[in-house]
Amino acid sequence: AQSVTQLGSHVSVSEGALVLLRCNYSSSVPPYLFWYVQYPNQGLQLLLKYTTGATLVKGINGFEAEFKKSETSFHLTKPSAHMSDAAEYFCAVISSGGYQKVTFGTGTKLQVIP
Amino acid sequence: DTAVSQTPKYLVTQMGNDKSIKCEQNLGHDTMYWYKQDSKKFLKIMFSYNNKELIINETVPNRFSPKSPDKAHLNLHINSLELGDSAVYFCASSQGEGAFFGQGTRLTVV
C-alpha cells in the first residue's frame, strides 16, 4: 500500500521568499516520488521526480526536492517565490515494481503575495 | 505534439444522459489511467490499464466503463449521468517514471 500526506492545504509566501511545501509518503517498497503543478483550469505538469540515484533533484522553474528516506519525506522548495508560482501543487508516489498506480496527496495551494 | 490528448475539453449534459470522453497518448506507454478531480481538487484514481488490460478499478460505479481498443487509447464511457459526476476527469499515461496527464475534461451535469 502507498499513500501521500501533504501538510498544509494552503501556503502563503511573499514574493522573493522561500517556498517550502511539505510531503511525506508511505510505501512498502522503494518509492518513486513526484511533484506536479496545476495552474488554474489546466492539467497537471510534472515539476520533478525522484526514482533512484541522487536524492536532491532539480526540476523546472527553479524548484527542487530532496528525498529523505529516514524521514519518509520529499519536500519541495524554491529559494525565491515568483508571482507566477501561484498554483496548486501535488505530491505523488508510485511504488516501484508491480503495477504503477500513481497516488496523489491532497494538494497544497500556493499563494504568492506581492 | 501533444503527448496525452483528451476530448472534449468541456462537456455539459443533462442528468440521465450517456457520454464518452476520449483519450489518446503518443508516448508509447503501456499504462494508462483515468483520474477524477473533485471540486476540492482531490485527485482519485478510477481505472488503470496496462497494455489494454484492466489493472485497477477503484470501486467506481459500474455506470463508468473504460474501453481500451489499443495501447494508445483509453476511452471513458459514462451511463445515466448523475449530478455527482460533475468533476474534471484526467487521462494519463505512464511507463513507470512519472505519469503524463492530459489537459482534463470538465464535465458538468445539470
Side-chain angles (χ1 to χ4, degrees):
Chain A
Q2 57 191 35
S3 66
V4 177
T5 302
Q6 290 183 240
L7 293 176
S9 58
H10 288 80
V11 170
S12 292
V13 299
S14 299
E15 192 173 15
L18 171 72
V19 175
L20 171 61
L21 304 183
R22 298 178 186 275
C23 173
N24 288 89
Y25 71 90
S26 168
S27 176
S28 56
V29 297
Y32 293 165
L33 295 158
F34 311 86
W35 276 98
Y36 287 85
V37 60
Q38 185 178 30
Y39 298 103
N41 298 316
Q42 294 192 25
L44 291 105
Q45 182 181 6
L46 183 64
L47 262 184
L48 49 77
K49 64 183 179 185
Y50 167 79
T51 54
T52 57
T55 56
L56 180 64
V57 292
K58 296 183 185 298
I60 61 173
N61 302 338
F63 284 93
E64 63 182 36
E66 186 171 10
F67 169 61
K68 292 187 177 181
K69 185 178 178 180
S70 61
E71 299 176 9
T72 61
S73 68
F74 191 58
H75 302 329
L76 181 71
T77 60
K78 181 174 180 177
S80 176
H82 295 159
M83 295 299 296
S84 60
D85 294 328
E88 191 94 23
Y89 291 81
F90 294 92
C91 184
V93 62
I94 292 178
S95 292
S96 59
Y99 301 119
Q100 297 149 358
K101 174 181 174 180
V102 185
T103 299
F104 286 88
T106 50
T108 298
K109 187 170 185 175
L110 176 65
Q111 180 184 21
V112 182
I113 303 166
Chain B
D1 284 348
T2 302
V4 182
S5 60
Q6 44 181 122
T7 55
K9 190 171 181 180
Y10 298 96
L11 185 53
V12 181
T13 188
Q14 289 186 324
M15 282 176 55
N17 284 351
D18 303 338
K19 290 293 178 186
S20 293
I21 308 172
K22 295 186 176 181
C23 179
E24 176 182 6
Q25 55 100 358
N26 62 6
L27 298 166
H29 289 167
D30 287 336
T31 306
M32 295 186 73
Y33 311 85
W34 277 107
Y35 279 83
K36 179 180 180 180
Q37 187 174 44
D38 61 23
S39 58
K40 295 183 179 179
K41 302 289 186 182
F42 184 61
L43 280 154
K44 183 173 171 55
I45 190 167
M46 300 173 69
F47 301 103
S48 171
Y49 269 70
N50 189 64
N51 211 1
K52 301 195 303 175
E53 183 182 346
L54 178 65
I55 300 301
I56 295 171
N57 180 343
E58 289 282 316
T59 60
V60 177
N62 57 15
R63 297 183 296 105
F64 291 79
S65 52
K67 285 190 171 49
S68 182
D70 54 59
K71 200 171 84 164
H73 294 84
L74 181 61
N75 304 323
L76 183 65
H77 188 76
I78 315 170
N79 290 327
S80 303
L81 277 154
E82 300 177 357
L83 292 176
D85 298 331
S86 295
V88 181
Y89 293 84
F90 286 100
C91 176
S93 75
S94 169
Q95 197 71 2
E97 295 195 1
F100 291 85
F101 284 79
Q103 288 300 299
T105 297
R106 184 174 294 277
L107 171 65
T108 303
V109 183
V110 297

